[in-house]
Amino acid sequence: MGLSRQLRLTFVVTALAVAAFSTGLNFLFFLLYLVGVLLVGAWWYASRGLRGMRAGYHVLNARAQVGDLLQAVYRIDNDSGWSKPWVEVWNDSTLPAPLPGRAIGVVPRGSRQWLASVTLPRRGSFRLGPLRVRTGDPLGLFSSEMTVGQPTWVVVFPQVHPLPYWQLPSAPVDGSLPARRRVEAMAPLVRSVRPYAHGDAINRIHWLSSLRHGELHVKEFDPEQAADLWILLDLERGAHAGSGDGASVEAAVSVAASIAVATLARNRAVGLTVSARRLHTLTPDRGTRVEQKILHLLANVQADGAASLAEVLSEVAPQLRRGMTLCLITGSTQRDWVRALASLPRRGVGSLVVQLDRASYAGTADGETQSEVGAMRHALAEYGIPHHLLRAGDDISQAIGGRERIRA
Amino acid sequence: MPEWLSHRLHPREGWLSLLLLAIMLVALGWSVQRAGWLDRLDFVIPVAGWALLVGTLLALTEWTILLALPIGAACGAWVVLASVGSEYVALANPGGQIVALREQAVSWLLILLERGTGPQQAPWALVLGMVLWASAFVAAFAVYRHHRVLDAILLIGALLVINLSATFADLFGYMVLFSLAALLLWLRAALVSRQEAWSLRRVNQNADVPGSIMRSGVGFILGAIALSWTMTSVAIAAPLTGVWNSIDPLWSDLRGDLDALFGNLGTTQTRFPGSGFASRFTISESFTGGDQLILRVGAQRGYYLRTVTYDQYTGHGWVSSDGIQRRVAAGDPIFPGPTPERPYAPDAFEVETITVSVMEGVGRSLFTHGYPIEAFVPVLVSESGGVPVLGQLEAASVIDVGTGYQITAAVSRATEAQLAGASIVYPAEISALYLDTTGITQRTIRLAQSVSGLGPSGDPERQDPYHLAKSLAAYLNRDPAFRYANNATLPDDPERDLVDFFLFDSRAGFCEYFASAMVMMARSLGIPARMAVGYAPGERIEAGVYEVRGSNSHAWAELYFPAYGWQVFEATKSIPPVVRAPGVGVAPPVNPPAGGGDPPDLFPGGVEPIISSLPSYEPATGGFIAGEEPPPVAPSQGNGVLVLVGVLALIAFGAWRWIRARRSFRFLAPADVQWQRLALAANRAGVSRSSSETIYEYAGWLEEQLPAHRVDIRAIADGKVLQSYSGRWIGAEAVRLLEHAWRRLQLPLVWLAVRRQARALLRERI
């Protein structure tokens, strides 16, 4: 009961009592008794409401993607001999759209069970509070409540788009092309053999094939089969725009997740660096475990970084090994990082840029912003860096993994 | 279906709420009709019904209140005027009815301002109609516009309680009906609120839940009403009655003012001792006595039982002059000192103690026969005009039905001879009060003289006051020109003197008309006379037992004869005149005691008065049986008990709230305590935290509401964050700082709550 209603009731009851005991009028006593019986009866009704009740719930999928359904099964048992006309069952949570509660009646010595589901519209980690069960008297004067269980965490991963035609750009690793100087790096996988060409390394000669063919043959390596993918997700605050589900950061995270999952599915090692408020790094690895780690990290990051892309690149670059490919996802139109990116092929590191048109996500696309984007693409093309352009509303599967590719 | 139409066809409260409101208003209307405040009350239910309908429709339109209220008032004015007019004005033309009502209201108001309430009942009907309209309209509006069911219940309930409190009529059944409807309405409203809250919080409800709640609620309500009814029938007490004794003078003054205003309302069932037997009344146009048994009297013979006497004639009614009121303990003399009313002629009276058992509520009115000597119940004596004459006799406490009292009085046995020989030297107090002929017309005086035979042309042996009075009474009682009628005609001119109108124009009326004419005509002949009201002698059931009914309610004239006191002169047609023994010749006048000494003992030779009792008689509160020892007087508790009860209730409430608050904070960490206090106080101010807000986000918003206290709010938020997430326990110094910060925030939060509440109310009204 609210305080004002309590005060009003207290005043009415006191006035009734004084009037009744002063006058002895039967109807005043009737009112006094009625108010007393209602208050006492309602309090007793509410306090006994949850006697003999048991409740519980479990979440069927504590990890899901954006757009998936979060499902939980609830159960409530009434072990007493009294029916419960209504009990209210719900969880407090930090979910954007909470799990729907339920008001339900339970017969004596009966139980009810139901499935509750809610669509997960946003990525992140959300707390699902303990189960709360409440009931009260029919007049709404008193209520009793119990809390069951412990809080649970639900992690919503970013949406992963299928990239059926996604091709990892190759790194300039030796064995695939003739080179005039001695190269020391070795790719782990031999794809085929070919005749010796001037400039091939002596240690590449495949002697068995050479004997068979009667001339020198050298091994040819599959750099794509051997290459790790390192995703660098630029989450500098100034590189992103928009808000809510249509913000550029969501697209960037979704692209990173999609690329990581698609690459891991091809048994490649994927590493991840995210330049959020802190620099998060996951070293390249293969398997479902690293997929979970990547998606978990991507579920919780926000565009709150302060370091520029150039600074981050300079920190990440030393970790890139020969044969790796760096996939840079950014909305930045500053060109200071392009030169740093352009130096990577000399180290045998491939690169790919997914450029987000920040202005389109902010809804402020105009001539100036378009020319900035155009200048960036021109700069990337100059250095032969393959890149994709992603605008607000573009289908990521098509933009990144479609048949049409922007070639450097 | 368009949404606006759907919203109006399916209001939030549903049409069941309208039905329940209607039942509540019908209970109120029936109780008003049953109380019988006015002669004609058929308009009550239709007015309430129309008000409910109009209020509901206007509430559902969502028009601003500045538009809806005037429309409602206009509809109300039309409905009330039409309803009251059709019942109180014998004209078919509505326009004529309104004009007639206006004229009645204006004349009523003029009379009210000049001399007391007017005789017309139509203005009271209009007032009652307006009150009912306003209440029903506001109740419907509160439910359907503002969703405040409790306010509607309290409003209609308050009117019902006032009506029940003001009458002795048994209206308990209407209270039960009202309670049932009100609780069902509350149940329905609670269900709707609950469903709305569920909808907001995305709590789905099973289809069977509303029905389940209603069923359990109905059972709960029926059980509560049955239990309360049972407890009412077995456990009622009034231990605090004595507490109010100290404010009796204030209450008596207030009752007197109320009597002046409401004196014309005709019911005798009123709990206010006044209406019917008030300290002032206006002669009405109709008399309805009723057949209900009022009193059972144990007496040797049937007596005129008087409760109020009037000395001032207003032209339209009578007033008992203001004087002192004194309390007399049970068994004490009513007039301990000298009084001109006390008879002192030997052998002209006998003293008898009668027993009166109250069978239907009479409030505090006490009825006495003859000159009251002592009552065996605490009484309040009102002395008119500040002189020791009996203006009004009341019991100190309400006399409950089934109880009664005994009163000893000296009843006149004066013969005609004795009265004829009575002195014509009247005490100054008597002359001052009871010879006033202000307003009497000359032709009334002439008629009195001619009828009584006063003057040289009359019988010289019948020029004494007794014979003159007897002639007057005979004239009014027996002259065929006069007719007894329960419904009298009032003069068209409200300024016209009513006695003159009765004597020369209408010549038809009931006891008040005849008695008023008798008194004024007697005064014009120089005989002190007064109007008395009470009950005429009832029906003899068996030896020593008389039953007095509502139809015995009566007004009569009493004339003063020195040494013999007040004598009843019955002038009302159709009621037998008072018969006295003739006596022999003319007795000499009895002189008052020499030197102003004590008159002869009322109980000469120690002779005890005759006591006429009743079987199974139970004395009223504070009373005792004549001849027995009086009960010990309980010490007056004064108003301290009331004050103590009120203070204790407040303390208990405050303690309960404090303990609840403390208990909820008992196990919290220090910083959490301050944060919880801040959140609770802000919640009361309507600035509550949403579930998705972080501590700093909420604190930031609070800082916007109280910018002057940013530092304190931020300090408490910092403490909470530190306590919750740092894993460290904050030190004592920090706890002290947080407590200081909270203390500085308490009053601003209260002020914030007040401001927000006021703003919300203003927004709601507009």
Side-chain angles (χ1 to χ4, degrees), chain B residues 290-592:
Chain B
D291 200 40
Q292 68 279 20
L293 178 62
I294 306 294
L295 306 171
R296 184 168 283 132
V297 182
Q300 295 294 307
R301 53 189 65 85
Y303 294 117
Y304 280 81
L305 297 171
R306 176 202 323 115
T307 181
V308 188
T309 65
Y310 305 94
D311 53 281
Q312 289 183 38
Y313 174 62
T314 65
H316 282 82
W318 288 88
V319 175
S320 184
S321 297
D322 290 335
I324 61 166
Q325 186 184 67
R326 48 188 178 79
R327 187 186 174 91
V328 177
D332 284 355
I334 290 175
F335 286 102
T339 167
E341 294 196 334
R342 187 185 185 285
Y344 51 86
D347 303 327
F349 57 87
E350 66 181 18
V351 179
E352 182 182 351
T353 301
I354 65 170
T355 304
V356 178
S357 197
V358 174
M359 309 310 291
E360 188 146 332
V362 294
R364 295 181 186 218
S365 294
L366 217 63
F367 304 92
T368 181
H369 55 311
Y371 165 74
I373 299 169
E374 63 180 341
F376 295 92
V377 70
V379 299
L380 296 172
V381 179
S382 301
E383 296 178 346
S384 298
V387 298
V389 294
L390 185 66
Q392 187 170 3
L393 195 63
E394 298 176 289
S397 309
V398 168
I399 303 176
D400 296 324
V401 172
T403 65
Y405 58 92
Q406 289 178 309
I407 188 163
T408 303
V411 185
S412 175
R413 290 287 162 257
T415 64
E416 289 191 330
Q418 287 173 310
L419 294 176
S423 167
I424 59 172
V425 177
Y426 302 108
E429 309 96 319
I430 297 293
S431 300
L433 282 178
Y434 300 110
L435 280 176
D436 183 19
T437 54
T438 304
I440 195 171
T441 60
Q442 286 301 312
R443 59 178 181 173
T444 301
I445 296 172
R446 287 194 296 272
L447 177 65
Q449 290 170 346
S450 85
V451 161
S452 63
L454 179 65
S457 59
D459 184 350
E461 290 188 1
R462 292 185 179 274
Q463 298 292 304
D464 57 273
Y466 172 73
H467 284 99
L468 294 175
K470 189 178 175 184
S471 301
L472 291 176
Y475 168 70
L476 292 169
N477 192 270
R478 295 186 211 140
D479 192 296
F482 292 97
R483 180 172 61 85
Y484 183 90
N486 278 336
N487 296 298
T489 307
L490 291 174
D492 295 330
D493 177 10
E495 300 296 317
R496 177 83 186 273
D497 179 77
L498 209 55
V499 166
D500 180 273
F501 177 77
F502 168 71
L503 287 173
F504 298 100
D505 291 309
S506 70
R507 298 190 171 209
F510 45 92
C511 55
E512 290 171 4
Y513 290 84
F514 286 93
S516 301
M518 177 69 195
V519 169
M520 294 311 291
M521 289 166 76
R523 285 184 180 184
S524 72
L525 300 180
I527 306 170
R530 70 184 184 184
M531 167 81 85
V533 295
Y535 287 99
E539 180 189 354
R540 182 175 180 273
I541 302 302
E542 58 186 64
V545 179
Y546 291 81
E547 285 189 348
V548 177
R549 299 187 175 274
S551 53
N552 297 124
S553 173
H554 194 44
W556 62 92
E558 292 183 347
L559 276 60
Y560 183 80
F561 293 85
Y564 302 99
W566 294 97
Q567 305 295 318
V568 176
F569 279 79
E570 185 55 73
T572 302
K573 212 167 188 63
S574 81
I575 296 183
V578 174
V579 175
R580 295 179 173 84
V584 178
V586 174
V590 178
N591 294 320

Side-chain angles (χ1 to χ4, degrees), chain A residues 41-309:
Chain A
W43 175 82
W44 181 86
Y45 191 112
S47 66
R48 294 289 183 272
L50 293 178
R51 284 266 175 116
M53 299 290 294
R54 287 181 295 117
Y57 81 106
H58 65 274
V59 177
L60 295 180
N61 51 336
R63 280 163 178 67
Q65 276 188 26
V66 169
D68 286 350
L69 278 180
L70 176 67
Q71 293 180 316
V73 175
Y74 293 84
R75 183 184 172 89
I76 189 159
D77 297 281
N78 178 15
D79 296 333
S80 76
W82 297 91
S83 75
K84 310 293 180 185
W86 68 275
V87 286
E88 190 183 327
V89 180
W90 83 100
N91 296 85
D92 282 331
S93 70
T94 55
L95 287 165
L99 273 169
R102 187 167 282 256
I104 200 164
V106 191
V107 298
R109 306 197 196 290
S111 66
R112 303 292 292 267
Q113 187 168 297
W114 67 96
L115 176 72
S117 58
V118 66
T119 304
L120 299 167
R122 203 176 304 151
R123 64 185 173 92
S125 294
F126 303 101
R127 182 179 172 280
L128 204 57
L131 186 65
R132 293 170 70 177
V133 183
R134 176 161 64 197
T135 188
D137 68 281
L139 295 177
L141 294 172
F142 300 98
S143 63
S144 60
E145 192 174 308
M146 70 177 181
T147 303
V148 181
Q150 300 298 323
T152 304
W153 286 93
V154 172
V155 181
V156 183
F157 297 146
Q159 191 169 13
V160 173
H161 297 267
L163 304 176
Y165 303 106
W166 161 255
Q167 288 290 337
L168 191 64
S170 57
V173 175
D174 291 324
S176 59
L177 293 170
R180 287 200 173 273
R181 58 183 175 84
R182 187 184 177 87
V183 176
E184 297 175 3
M186 296 266 293
L189 294 175
V190 176
R191 185 175 61 185
S192 64
V193 294
R194 59 171 172 79
Y196 178 84
H198 180 68
D200 287 337
I202 301 298
N203 58 356
R204 297 283 192 276
I205 296 175
H206 194 251
W207 296 106
L208 284 175
S209 299
S210 301
L211 281 172
R212 195 177 302 121
H213 288 95
E215 57 177 344
L216 286 175
H217 278 66
V218 293
K219 289 176 266 190
E220 197 173 52
F221 300 101
D222 187 350
E224 295 185 5
Q225 290 291 326
D228 293 342
L229 174 67
W230 196 295
I231 300 173
L232 172 56
L233 177 58
D234 174 25
L235 291 183
E236 188 201 351
R237 199 176 291 126
H240 290 276
S243 60
D245 296 341
S248 62
V249 61
E250 301 301 324
V253 166
S254 187
V255 166
S258 304
I259 291 174
V261 167
T263 306
L264 285 168
R266 295 190 174 100
N267 200 29
R268 303 295 182 86
V270 176
L272 175 66
T273 294
V274 179
S275 65
R277 192 167 47 168
R278 289 190 303 124
L279 200 66
H280 302 272
T281 300
L282 291 173
T283 53
D285 203 348
R286 291 186 176 81
T288 54
R289 192 171 60 86
V290 72
E291 179 180 312
Q292 291 294 307
K293 286 165 71 175
I294 288 173
L295 290 177
H296 201 111
L297 174 60
L298 291 175
N300 292 291
V301 292
Q302 299 296 333
D304 50 6
S308 67
L309 183 54

